[in-house]
């Protein structure tokens, strides 16, 4: 059966790059992207529809129009922005998911991708090699909504047989798209500023270690999960996914190997620090490695080199 994909929330950091890979795999005519606003730049041959995921009748009309076999639901309000607008974050993150799950059941669409996040972990979760199953006590509205979303996904799989697949993304690093209001965004900003001004003021402290993933690995891992045989999957909440763990100080030292004059300073009392302090420093993704042969390819040195090389010609 020929696959046809609808991606909701396609204009964000992950969606904009995932859409490119999916068009290459399935053909542009079989990948319909959508978001609440049109993309900043039109892509030749791409099909785009303006949609608000909270408008359930409009989402239903979109699904009936294109009759997809898969839905990628990426519309969400991220961690730092969510703390400014907690009610809006909860509404978008939870009711958007419920709308899509209910419509998938109603219209017989079996396969869904929905991303979770390391924000589901909290102050009492293990910091190092955080396990798939452990204490989860998120203290940001983003993390709370993602944890609730994981429970909904597993519930809809068990009750209605939906083939929902998910990963807990760590911080995502990319040179192609600007970050969208997350706590890990310093790791993208630092490269832009290193090339533009030669200095950067980090809103996270020197030794704040967080799990990260280069965008190329994130896109490949997502598609590999969606391609995996259903019977191999043992996690129906969301898979832990790991790439590289590092601190602002570590990434600055790597940048200085290429840009020796780069200077890093630190901002005191940024509210994002409290969010970061509640998150893991490293992730155990052994279930993903066992179930669908997940393996990242970029380490810190390779990622830094690739970021700077690409930004030099694209900034």
């Amino acid at each position: 059966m020929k696959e046809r994909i609808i991606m909701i929330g396609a204009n964000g950091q992950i969606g904009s790059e995932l859409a490119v890979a999916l068009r290459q795999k399935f053909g542009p005519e079989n990948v319909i992207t959508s978001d609440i606003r049109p993309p900043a730049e039109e892509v030749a041959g791409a099909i785009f529809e303006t949609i608000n995921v909270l408008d359930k009748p409009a989402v239903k009309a979109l699904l009936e129009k294109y009759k997809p076999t898969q839905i990628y639901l990426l519309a969400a309000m991220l961690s730092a922005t969510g703390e400014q607008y907690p009610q809006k974050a909860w509404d978008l993150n939870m009711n958007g998911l419920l709308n899509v799950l209910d419509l998938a059941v109603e219209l017989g669409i079996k396969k869904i991708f929905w991303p979770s996040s390391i924000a589901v972990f909290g102050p009492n979760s293990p910091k190092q090699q955080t396990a798939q199953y452990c204490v989860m006590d998120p203290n940001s509205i983003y993390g709370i909504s993602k944890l609730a979303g994981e429970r909904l996904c597993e519930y809809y799989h068990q009750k209605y047989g939906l083939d929902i697949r998910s990963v807990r993304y760590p911080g995502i690093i990319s040179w192609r798209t600007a970050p969208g209001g997350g706590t890990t965004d310093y790791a993208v900003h630092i490269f832009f500023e290193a090339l533009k001004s030669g200095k950067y003021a980090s809103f996270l402290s020197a030794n704040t270690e967080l799990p990260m993933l280069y965008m190329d690995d994130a896109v490949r891992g997502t598609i590999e999960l969606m391609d995996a045989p259903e019977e191999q999957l043992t996690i129906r909440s969301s898979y832990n996914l790991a790439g590289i763990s590092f601190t602002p100080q570590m990434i600055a030292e790597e940048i200085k190997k290429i840009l020796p004059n780069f200077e890093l300073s630190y901002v005191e009392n940024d509210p994002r620090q409290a969010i970061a302090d509640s998150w893991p420093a490293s992730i155990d993704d052994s279930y993903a490695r066992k179930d669908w042969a997940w393996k990242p390819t970029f380490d810190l040195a390779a990622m830094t080199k690739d970021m700077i090389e690409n930004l030099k010609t694209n900034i």
Side-chain angles (χ1 to χ4, degrees):
M1 183 177 178
K2 198 170 184 69
E3 299 288 354
R4 172 169 279 187
I5 292 165
I6 283 184
M7 183 184 291
I8 301 172
N11 291 351
Q13 187 191 25
I14 294 173
S16 55
E17 299 200 37
L18 188 54
V20 173
L22 290 171
R23 289 188 192 109
Q24 290 172 347
K25 183 176 174 66
F26 296 107
E29 71 281 3
N30 292 312
V31 180
I32 297 89
T33 55
S34 64
D35 211 306
I36 198 165
R37 295 178 197 83
E41 297 178 13
E42 288 188 17
V43 178
I47 305 170
F48 179 86
E49 297 272 0
T50 302
I51 197 84
N52 181 348
V53 72
L54 295 178
D55 185 345
K56 193 173 181 180
V59 176
K60 183 177 181 180
L62 180 74
L63 298 176
E64 288 178 330
K65 177 179 178 181
Y66 289 102
K67 298 178 172 56
T69 59
Q70 300 182 27
I71 304 171
Y72 282 64
L73 174 58
L74 304 179
M77 189 176 290
L78 301 184
S79 57
T81 311
E83 290 308 290
Q84 298 174 47
Y85 310 102
Q87 184 66 51
K88 287 182 179 179
W90 178 262
D91 191 29
L92 174 60
N93 296 355
M94 295 311 304
N95 290 323
L97 175 59
L98 277 167
N99 284 348
V100 168
L101 294 178
D102 284 340
L103 289 170
V105 172
E106 182 182 340
L107 300 176
I109 303 164
K110 290 279 290 183
K111 202 169 185 181
I112 297 169
F113 176 77
W114 173 82
S116 189
S117 164
I118 60 166
V120 297
F121 301 113
N124 294 296
S125 304
K127 289 291 185 191
Q128 298 293 338
Q129 289 299 301
T130 307
Q132 178 71 40
Y133 296 105
C134 65
V135 172
M136 301 168 81
D137 57 341
N139 58 6
S140 68
I141 196 68
Y142 177 64
I144 293 165
S145 68
K146 284 296 184 184
L147 182 54
E150 287 189 12
R151 307 316 317 140
L152 280 174
C153 287
E154 190 154 38
Y155 176 79
Y156 272 73
H157 170 71
Q158 292 170 348
K159 188 172 179 67
Y160 301 109
L162 289 184
D163 182 8
I164 309 169
R165 305 182 181 202
S166 178
V167 293
R168 293 169 179 156
Y169 284 126
I172 303 294
I173 300 172
S174 169
W175 58 267
R176 292 183 184 88
T177 48
T183 300
T184 55
D185 286 350
Y186 90 87
V188 180
H189 287 144
I190 195 169
F191 288 103
F192 282 83
E193 291 304 318
L195 286 165
K196 285 200 292 186
S197 65
K199 56 188 179 183
Y200 179 68
S202 172
F203 52 78
L204 297 184
S205 66
N207 297 314
T208 301
E209 184 180 9
L210 289 173
M212 303 283 186
L213 189 63
Y214 199 40
M215 181 65 84
D216 298 46
D217 279 339
V219 168
R220 179 180 54 81
T222 302
I223 293 173
E224 285 175 357
L225 170 61
M226 292 300 280
D227 284 348
E230 186 174 3
E231 63 273 11
Q232 289 180 203
L233 304 181
T234 60
I235 304 294
R236 286 302 182 165
S237 52
S238 189
Y239 278 94
N240 275 5
L241 202 68
I244 326 155
S245 284
F246 55 80
T247 66
Q249 185 174 345
M250 290 166 64
I251 197 170
E253 288 169 1
E254 206 62 47
I255 289 170
K256 284 180 182 179
K257 292 177 183 177
I258 304 171
L259 304 170
N261 296 322
F262 174 66
E263 297 177 8
L264 179 64
S265 60
Y266 299 93
V267 177
E268 298 291 329
N269 301 318
D270 190 285
R272 287 167 286 194
Q273 183 67 53
I275 298 173
D277 288 342
S278 73
W279 287 359
S282 60
I283 298 289
D284 175 2
D285 59 1
S286 53
Y287 278 88
R289 291 173 182 263
K290 174 174 62 73
D291 288 0
W292 44 280
W294 158 250
K295 188 178 182 183
T297 56
F298 282 84
D299 60 13
L300 181 57
M303 182 201 74
T304 301
K305 182 173 180 285
D306 199 64
M307 282 287 289
I308 291 174
E309 282 179 358
N310 282 292
L311 283 175
K312 274 183 177 177
T313 56
N314 290 279
I315 202 165

